[in-house]
């Protein structure tokens, strides 16, 4: 009989109770006792949901008030010394200070968890980093679960993934050197879990799915040999990518079990199953923990049957990864189109699917005949539904030719035409798109949503915000203006709501970081644009000023990356469909006289596959999608793009291949160092390296920004430089924005004065 288990469950609560409790506590509205009680209730509720759906081993330790990596840091007693906290008596307040900073110390860094939109707190290491007794929360939770008569399986981030995902804060040492110090701390944790009656511990090692350097790979087997001897049986869990290249040593390693992701990487199974050792279990991740579509039960059952014929009762069943990355319960979605809803499964439904597969495996297919038939009917309905098929879109895609993916002339010829048309000075100043979302804007939006404010009154309020943004930009003396994005709540949702093929849930929240949640839209069908989306707003802004106003759109890759994407066709096809919709919008903007159009791609890099071998294919279609969206314009229409991160090294050729006339990027924090690879690779088009770090409340002075621009001029020909902030300004306040932009304009003026006349 197969054991069923889950690797982790969404912790935020079906009604985002954890978010509310944490934010109330941060705001001082409630005390620690109330927060702890909410945490306890949520753990109990989530354990019960899982065990009632038939899960044999419920996860424990997947709960966190901020982040599971930060919990691991606390448990290991490894809070950075710079905070001066006592590791074995870390309070929850101090824990939050690690994540959010305090008066004396900046927060620990945060970054994306593999290729998900979840962010973890990055461990900090130096030569002196010690590990030892830390926070006690995990052990308390074991007692909590035992009191509920549950069979818990604690989940830890494994030592190598923990180290690998951390960062050295000191030159001249490698964090791998800390492993001998780290392992005894893990051993001590495992020992205590063993003493409290825990049989299995899940050790998450998703780093194994990356292209790890060999010294890291070699460290695995000895590390796990040491830990496996401590007491509890270890389930080494991998997900998000294949670990086939490690199959040999994984099978002979000392752990009692392996979990693999058979949704993302079913191709790894033959290597793993060949001579699978008789003393190990294999946990098969066969329900997609990364997406929201119903599982093909029959196919999953068939896979399980095949694996069982090799392993018999050494087979376990599970979702592919933690369910953290999907919303909790589809049952709450009363507003979705019922047909679409029947195609979906959130965390709770996924556990039901797991239970059905388990039943089918134990009792035979007939035992779940009804479920299989229902599933078959739904899959067929989805495949044939007019909701998923738009023949016009498909025809258009088929009819594309190479010319649709290229501008008419090369940049060298377009540039002068654009300068002629836009009449901008050297070192032209611009911003990234959004201006502060003021209380007035937010109130108007809320009132509009609730029906208090009618459409026309709402549009009036947005027009007022646009007037304010335009007149402030004119007063500041900026060169290329924007309308300010007042009417947009979110850069993906705003467009998704106007495109067909997109749906929006009411409660489909997924944790992004800390108490922050996002509600990714669902792309279920062929994407099309029934009518113009932004032309009226941009046209309104342009009517207010003689200066040029930039059109502002979200790019196809970002639209894809920040959504749940249909799984019944390649992502590349969906990306091209979105690109066509944006291309239409670009054409309408151009026809309305807009001379510069920005297509934001902040998520371009994030879509990069985990393994280097898969990257060329992604970059190929991602670049094509951007080009399809942007290349339909005349030579003298200027295409901008914006990306907001600072690691470009590995994707620079693709960035150049986008052939945007201007790219604005985040460079402030790296003091323009980012431009070095741009120069080295011979990046040909215009660049706007950010000179104002919008993530910080600090206002940089004109001379500081001028210094950055001078540094940039040394790396890129001054004629190709633009002057702009790092990113959009929607999270800032007007007074600081006005001050910073006034300084930025001064810096540009100084650069123009100092420039040697040609
Ligand atoms: N145009 C968007 C803005 O200014 C870009 C946001 C982003 O890069 N994430 O808000
Ligand atoms: Zn940005």
């Amino acid at each position: 009989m197969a054991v069923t288990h889950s690797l982790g469950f969404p912790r935020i609560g079906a009604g985002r109770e954890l978010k509310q409790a944490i934010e109330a506590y941060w705001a001082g509205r409630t005390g620690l006792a109330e927060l702890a009680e909410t945490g306890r209730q949520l753990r109990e509720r989530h354990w019960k949901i899982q065990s009632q759906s038939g899960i044999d081993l419920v996860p424990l330790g997947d709960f966190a008030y901020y982040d599971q990596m930060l919990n691991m840091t606390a448990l290991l007693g490894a809070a950075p010394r710079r905070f001066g906290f006592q590791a074995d008596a870390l309070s929850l307040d101090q824990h939050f200070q690690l994540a959010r900073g305090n008066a004396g110390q900046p927060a620990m860094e945060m970054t994306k968890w593999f290729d998900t939109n979840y962010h973890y707190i990055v461990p900090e290491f130096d030569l002196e980093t010690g590990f030892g007794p830390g926070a006690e929360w995990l052990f308390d939770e074991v007692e909590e679960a035992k009191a509920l008569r549950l069979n818990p399986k604690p989940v830890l981030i494994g030592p190598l993934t923990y180290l690998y995902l951390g960062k050295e804060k000191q030159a001249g040492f490698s964090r791998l050197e800390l492993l001998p110090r780290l392992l005894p701390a893990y051993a001590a944790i495992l020992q205590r879990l063993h003493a409290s009656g825990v049989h299995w511990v899940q050790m998450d090692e998703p780093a194994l799915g990356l292209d790890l350097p060999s010294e890291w790979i070699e460290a695995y087997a000895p590390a796990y040999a040491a830990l496996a001897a401590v007491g509890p049986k270890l389930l080494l869990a991998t997900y998000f990518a294949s670990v086939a290249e490690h199959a040999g040593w994984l099978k002979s390693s000392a752990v009692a079990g392996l979990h693999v992701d058979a949704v993302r990487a079913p191709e790894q199974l033959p290597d793993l199953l060949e001579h699978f050792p008789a003393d190990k279990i294999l946990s098969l991740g066969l329900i997609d923990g990364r997406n929201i579509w119903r599982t093909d039960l029959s196919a999953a059952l068939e896979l399980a049957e095949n694996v069982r014929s090799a392993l018999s009762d050494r087979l376990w069943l599970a979702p592919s990864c933690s369910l953290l990355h999907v919303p909790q319960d589809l049952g709450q979605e009363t507003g979705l189109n019922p047909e679409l809803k029947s195609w979906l499964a959130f965390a709770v439904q996924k556990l039901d699917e797991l239970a059905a597969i388990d039943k089918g495996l134990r009792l035979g297919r007939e035992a779940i005949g009804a479920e299989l038939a229902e599933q078959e009917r739904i899959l067929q309905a989805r495949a044939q539904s007019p909701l998923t098929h738009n023949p016009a879109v498909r025809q258009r895609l088929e009819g594309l030719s190479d010319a649709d993916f290229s501008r008419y002339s090369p940049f060298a010829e377009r540039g002068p035409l654009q300068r002629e048309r836009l009449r901008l000075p050297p070192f032209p100043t611009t911003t990234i798109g959004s201006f502060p979302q003021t209380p007035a804007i937010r109130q108007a939006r809320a009132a509009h949503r609730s029906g208090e404010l009618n459409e026309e009154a709402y549009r009036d309020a947005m027009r007022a915000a646009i007037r304010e943004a335009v007149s402030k930009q004119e007063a500041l003396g900026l060169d290329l203006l924007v309308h300010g994005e007042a009417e947009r709540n979110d850069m993906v949702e705003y467009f998704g709501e106007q495109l067909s093929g997109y749906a929006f849930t009411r409660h489909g929240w997924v944790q992004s970081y800390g108490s922050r949640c996002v509600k990714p839209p669902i792309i279920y069908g062929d994407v099309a644009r029934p009518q113009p989306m932004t032309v009226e707003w941009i046209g309104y802004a342009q009517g207010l000023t003689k200066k040029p106003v930039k059109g502002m759109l979200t790019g196809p890759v970002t639209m894809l990356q920040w959504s749940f994407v249909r799984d019944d066709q390649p992502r590349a096809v969906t990306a091209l469909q979105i690109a066509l919709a944006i291309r239409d919008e670009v054409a309408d903007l151009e026809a309305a006289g807009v001379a510069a159009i920005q297509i934001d791609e902040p998520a371009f890099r994030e879509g990069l596959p985990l393994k280097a071998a898969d990257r060329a294919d992604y970059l190929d279609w991602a670049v094509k999608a951007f080009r399809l969206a942007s290349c339909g314009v005349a030579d003298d229409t200027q295409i901008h793009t914006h990306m907001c991160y600072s690691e470009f090294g590995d994707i620079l050729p693709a960035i150049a291949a986008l052939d945007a006339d201007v790219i604005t990027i985040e460079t402030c924090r790296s003091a323009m160092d980012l431009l070095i690879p741009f120069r080295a690779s011979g990046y040909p088009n215009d660049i706007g390296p950010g000179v104002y770090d919008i993530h910080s409340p600090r206002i940089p002075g004109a001379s500081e920004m001028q210094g950055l621009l001078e540094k940039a001029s040394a790396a890129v020909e001054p004629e190709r430089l633009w002057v702009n902030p790092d990113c959009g300004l929607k999270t800032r306040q007007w007074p600081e924005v006005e001050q910073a932009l006034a300084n930025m304009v001064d810096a540009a003026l100084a650069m123009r004065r100092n420039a040697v006349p040609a």
Side-chain angles (χ1 to χ4, degrees):
M1 200 183 107
V3 169
T4 56
H5 70 118
S6 106
L7 278 70
F9 194 78
R11 50 181 164 250
I12 211 80
R16 284 185 297 160
E17 294 88 338
L18 188 59
K19 174 196 176 69
Q20 277 131 29
I22 292 171
E23 289 176 357
Y25 175 72
W26 286 345
R29 292 199 301 275
T30 56
L32 204 53
E34 281 145 292
L35 178 57
E37 177 56 17
T38 303
R40 193 198 60 72
Q41 283 176 10
L42 285 172
R43 286 191 295 273
E44 175 172 348
R45 195 176 308 154
H46 297 162
W47 282 329
K48 287 196 169 149
I49 289 173
Q50 293 175 86
S51 69
Q52 277 160 14
S53 64
I55 296 294
D56 298 314
L57 282 175
V58 296
L60 175 153
D62 55 343
F63 178 85
Y65 285 104
Y66 203 94
D67 159 48
Q68 73 261 16
M69 273 293 268
L70 184 62
N71 271 19
M72 201 62 227
T73 295
L75 180 65
L76 287 165
R81 286 188 318 284
R82 63 186 173 91
F83 283 89
F85 298 151
Q86 195 189 323
D88 60 354
L90 193 74
S91 69
L92 194 55
D93 270 327
Q94 292 171 330
H95 189 75
F96 285 137
Q97 287 171 46
L98 298 176
R100 308 173 75 215
N102 60 26
Q105 289 294 327
M108 292 172 75
E109 262 180 67
M110 183 167 78
T111 195
K112 281 186 193 265
W113 177 249
F114 297 84
D115 58 352
T116 73
N117 206 1
Y118 177 80
H119 301 68
Y120 70 93
I121 300 286
V122 182
E124 294 177 15
F125 302 125
D126 59 30
L127 260 171
E128 250 91 279
T129 300
F131 305 97
E136 292 280 314
W137 308 317
L138 183 75
F139 309 113
D140 298 342
E141 287 174 22
V142 172
E143 296 312 314
E144 228 174 81
K146 276 163 54 185
L148 294 167
R149 308 180 144 274
L150 291 164
N151 193 3
K153 174 198 56 175
V155 181
L156 304 177
I157 310 281
L160 284 146
T161 293
Y162 178 74
L163 276 184
Y164 192 75
L165 296 183
K167 203 166 164 181
E168 287 103 0
K169 290 285 162 178
Q170 184 176 12
F173 114 102
S174 155
R175 56 203 189 283
L176 186 55
E177 290 168 35
L178 296 175
L179 187 61
R181 243 180 269 171
L182 179 60
L183 288 178
Y186 270 89
I189 295 166
L190 292 173
Q191 217 148 35
R192 279 194 63 181
L193 291 173
H194 193 52
S196 63
V198 164
H199 298 298
W200 278 96
V201 176
Q202 174 184 321
M203 304 290 272
D204 280 7
E205 289 284 5
L208 274 176
L210 304 173
D211 299 309
L212 284 180
S214 58
E215 65 272 24
W216 285 83
I217 299 168
E218 283 151 21
Y220 267 92
Y224 276 91
L227 296 180
V230 174
K233 293 184 173 181
L234 302 183
L235 176 70
L236 194 154
T238 68
Y239 37 84
F240 301 155
S242 162
V243 293
E245 59 188 299
H246 307 305
W249 66 261
L250 277 172
K251 282 184 279 187
S252 59
S253 79
V255 297
L258 275 182
H259 170 86
V260 297
D261 184 338
V263 174
R264 270 275 181 99
E267 72 280 3
Q268 64 185 327
L269 290 176
D271 282 337
L272 287 159
L273 287 173
E274 192 188 3
H275 305 303
F276 194 81
D279 61 348
K280 277 196 207 342
I281 66 99
L282 181 76
S283 160
L284 196 60
L286 37 57
I287 307 270
D288 192 351
R290 293 286 300 273
N291 214 333
I292 40 74
W293 305 102
R294 274 176 87 134
T295 305
D296 182 341
L297 280 186
S298 175
L301 179 55
E302 191 180 324
L303 179 67
E305 286 162 348
N306 288 340
V307 175
R308 189 183 54 180
S309 68
L311 297 185
S312 75
D313 60 355
R314 287 174 295 134
L315 169 66
W316 287 17
L317 302 175
S320 61
C321 59
S322 168
L323 297 170
L324 178 70
H325 310 290
V326 292
Q328 183 167 322
D329 188 359
L330 182 65
Q332 291 175 283
E333 297 299 332
T334 47
L336 277 181
N337 174 328
E339 189 182 355
L340 168 61
K341 188 174 168 185
S342 74
W343 304 341
L344 305 177
F346 292 177
V348 167
Q349 290 69 37
K350 284 172 187 287
L351 294 178
D352 292 341
E353 293 179 333
L354 190 65
I357 294 168
D358 177 48
K359 190 172 170 195
L361 200 59
R362 267 187 292 124
L363 307 174
R365 286 192 165 241
E366 317 70 56
I368 57 162
E371 284 97 328
L372 287 173
E374 167 75 350
Q375 181 69 13
E376 184 58 29
R377 189 189 63 72
I378 288 171
L379 283 178
Q380 274 189 14
R382 182 177 166 205
Q384 285 151 16
S385 169
L387 282 182
T388 56
H389 285 68
N390 180 335
V393 172
R394 298 195 170 212
Q395 237 162 41
R396 251 184 107 186
L397 269 190
E398 307 243 302
L400 292 175
S401 70
D402 285 354
D404 297 312
F405 295 87
S406 284
R407 298 289 294 266
Y408 297 107
S409 311
F411 175 72
E413 288 166 34
R414 304 190 310 255
L417 298 175
Q418 292 164 13
R419 274 192 281 277
E420 169 75 25
R421 178 171 176 198
L422 284 159
R423 302 201 163 277
L424 301 174
F427 299 101
T429 53
T430 191
T431 59
I432 305 305
S434 57
F435 274 116
Q437 290 263 327
T438 60
I441 295 174
R442 292 219 190 89
Q443 275 154 22
R445 181 153 36 248
H448 181 230
R449 291 229 161 196
S450 71
E452 269 167 67
L453 202 61
N454 69 30
E455 185 66 23
E456 210 30 51
Y458 170 72
R459 296 180 85 84
D460 272 343
M462 295 303 113
R463 279 191 284 263
I466 291 174
R467 278 197 303 279
E468 186 186 10
V470 169
S471 79
K472 285 192 196 271
Q473 291 173 87
E474 287 198 309
L476 284 162
L478 288 157
D479 301 309
L480 180 54
L481 311 195
V482 296
H483 78 300
E485 302 182 24
E487 79 289 6
R488 303 183 190 176
N489 41 348
D490 172 276
M491 63 189 291
V492 168
E493 194 174 356
Y494 179 75
F495 290 100
E497 280 177 343
Q498 302 186 69
L499 293 168
S500 51
Y502 266 86
F504 291 82
T505 62
R506 214 167 280 162
H507 308 278
W509 297 100
V510 177
Q511 191 178 12
S512 173
Y513 63 88
S515 67
R516 232 347 249 248
C517 302
V518 294
K519 200 152 54 76
I522 298 170
I523 306 177
Y524 62 86
D526 292 340
V527 175
R529 186 200 70 145
Q531 61 203 26
M533 304 182 282
T534 64
V535 178
E536 199 186 319
W537 298 117
I538 306 294
Y540 178 72
Q542 186 63 80
L544 301 169
T545 175
K546 291 209 163 58
K547 294 211 166 157
V549 176
K550 260 196 288 196
M552 195 56 59
L553 304 171
T554 301
V557 181
T558 299
M559 290 294 294
L560 192 74
Q561 203 56 34
W562 291 349
S563 306
F564 285 119
V565 182
R566 62 193 292 186
D567 61 351
D568 56 352
Q569 69 183 22
R571 284 171 81 84
V573 173
T574 307
L576 289 179
Q577 293 182 349
I578 302 171
L580 275 180
I582 297 167
R583 183 183 176 95
D584 292 346
E585 185 72 11
V586 168
D588 283 340
L589 284 168
E590 185 181 48
V594 179
I597 300 165
Q598 179 170 312
I599 304 175
D600 290 321
E601 283 291 20
F604 189 85
R605 189 180 197 290
E606 182 184 313
L608 210 57
L610 296 174
K611 287 200 200 293
D614 304 327
R615 290 186 184 158
D617 177 56
Y618 162 76
L619 289 171
D620 182 61
W621 63 253
V623 167
K624 276 203 186 114
F626 183 89
R627 290 176 68 122
L628 182 60
S630 61
C631 282
V633 294
D635 283 346
D636 67 352
T637 298
Q638 189 170 62
I639 296 291
H640 290 233
T641 190
H642 165 71
M643 300 184 177
C644 41
Y645 35 81
S646 45
E647 294 140 39
F648 282 97
D650 42 355
I651 57 165
L652 262 174
I655 303 290
L658 298 178
D659 201 21
D661 298 299
V662 184
I663 182 169
T664 54
I665 49 175
E666 176 175 322
T667 37
C668 217
R669 289 195 182 188
S670 63
M672 302 286 142
D673 289 344
L674 176 59
L675 291 179
I676 296 165
F678 269 85
R679 178 180 54 184
S681 72
Y683 182 82
N685 302 4
D686 283 9
I687 306 182
V691 290
Y692 163 28
D693 176 7
I694 64 94
H695 299 103
S696 159
R698 201 177 74 85
I699 296 168
S703 58
E704 178 182 334
M705 291 193 263
Q706 192 188 337
L708 289 172
L709 288 169
E710 265 151 18
K711 208 172 161 198
S713 303
V716 173
E717 297 89 85
E719 304 76 56
R720 294 203 281 132
L721 277 179
W722 286 65
V723 180
N724 47 261
D726 262 349
C727 194
L729 299 162
K730 68 172 164 221
T731 56
R732 304 248 66 93
Q733 315 264 321
W734 268 117
E736 51 180 339
V737 163
E738 288 185 87
Q739 186 59 58
L741 293 181
N743 295 348
M744 187 183 92
V745 170
D746 282 346
L749 291 175
M751 291 304 288
R752 282 172 211 164
R753 274 195 305 274
N754 296 347
V756 190

